[in-house]
Amino acid sequence: MAGPRLPPTITLIPDQLKAMARRVQGSCTKSTTYIGGFITGDLRPMIEWLTSPNNDLDKPFPASTSFLTLTISTLQSDWLSPGNYDPGIAQVLALAEFEAAKKVDPSSEVAKTLRGRGQRFLRVQQEMEPRGKRVAWWERPSGGGMLVLGNGGGNGTVREDYGYLEDFECVFQNELGTDGPALGILVDDDKLSWDTKVKDVIPGFRTQSEELHNSATILDFLSMRSGMQQYNPWLQSQNNIIFPRDDGLKIINSLRQTQPLRQGFQYDNWAYEILSHVFPNIVGSDWGVFCSDHLFKPLNLSRTGSRASALDSMNVARAYTVLDDTTPVTVRDVHLSDQTLMGGAGGVRSCVADLLTYYAAFLDAYADQTSSGKTSTINSPFTQVISTTSAHITIPIRGFENQAYAMGWVKGRLPGPLGVISNNFGNLGSNVPEVGRNGPSIATLNHAGSMAGAMTGVILFPESKSAISVLTNTLGLSNTADTVSQLLTEILFDLPEPHDFVALSETITAAERKSMSRVAEKLDWERTLGTTLRDLQDYVGTYQNTLGTMKIEIMLQKSKLAMRFQDLEEETSGLEHEEHDIFTWHHSRNECARRGRFTN
């Protein structure tokens, strides 16, 4: 039992203990080198007492607030009392206080008390380290200081995992790298080739560009060298996907070509949407069903899937964004799945345990096929690995070479940069770290994924058959999954000249805090002064694009214009006059975060 005060007698239910043990054993003790993990029982009595403003946290807690914990570990030590000494508990209790504060008048004394308690738990959490300082979560913090959620230079990442290696089955949005392997199976079965023209396997594919329509291949889109226009309005507030799945090809066919075919790298999520349409026409099933049957099930990945029902579990990481002061804001979970538009770009949900299994099998197939020269490996779902991991288009990065895009992987070599498609990259300027500087040459395959409340980073090292996978549940002021994966790379290989990733994160967060204000400054600079506008009623109406995929309603709200997308009330924004008949709907970064918009 855990808590400041335990009851004199404890009633234990054997079946409950067995069920808890199975959960920990099933998710935290699969590897031969595991440390272990723990699970807690019902925390609601504790949370109800802690969030009552009349209770004094410095006086004795009632015994009714105690809760059951169960630990399975290879180690035996006095720090193995996670219900009392693991920082994750302090983090959960802090978030409970912040959530309770949101339910009352924000200016009230009750709200201030609850927020103060939340900050207290977070400061204690910073002093608590697994296998480190033995501080109980109910103790007062030793001093003041800056409030920082998680690590990464105060970027605001919220920690919710309870396990060690396995993340205790927390499910996150993740770009698992399924597109190349899934299409590789079709290529290996002679159902298509990498050079198959898209128009030949997707009858409805008819782009504005004749070159794309007539010549673009499966490989061109999978290696991000099609040159097709990027188009990002599909994702709006609270992870809303504002276009229905059936409009996918209609939108794709409206996109322009912005650079010549095969002449340059341009990352575009719409490429994955295009490729997801291949499967129904070739095998008669959606890409998600195909991936489940041919990749996930053969590898026994029990917590990996592309259906929204994969979230039908109590054990799912909540999604957050953060304000400029790192205060967490809850947002709705990522909606992407094989039943939505853009599911092929990031609709797979998984956990660390499954990811390590997946990447281990992939690296085994890589080693086998590079050695044998064959395109398949016995008892492995991965085929065509040499093709999917070969460089197909150069990624130009000033000051660095050996960066290219394969099929769903950034292919590089250390010493060199990592995370070149992470949203951190643009905020680093000239401070991009050369990981492994003056160290050995190490081949890498890496990728990043990002949605509001779900950030991922994976780096594979084929030569040593090593993998680093980092999942976070917060769209912070920097991409912690990216920086942590690079930090772990330096630790894994004991690389010389390690970087100060805290300082780099501070550079990133400083730039991110200014991102929206820079937009406002640009609008001010470009504004033509002295222009007039019509009577506001003249602008009121409903407008639709020629495709019929986008609907915008202009309305009057309190004598000012407002705009609404797709009849969705939460996609309503006030309009400000810019010049002539041009209006803007610029939001501050904090407002974007509160609305659950992608801010990086």
Side-chain angles (χ1 to χ4, degrees), residues 20-30 72 168:
M20 294 171 71
R22 283 195 296 269
R23 291 290 299 278
V24 178
Q25 190 172 29
S27 51
C28 299
T29 63
K30 292 180 181 178
I72 297 178
F168 196 61

Side-chain angles (χ1 to χ4, degrees), residues 427 476-477 507-516 589 599-600:
N427 282 331
L477 289 163
T507 297
I508 295 166
T509 57
E512 176 60 23
R513 285 190 176 100
K514 297 177 181 177
S515 58
M516 294 303 176
R589 191 196 166 280
T599 52
N600 294 117

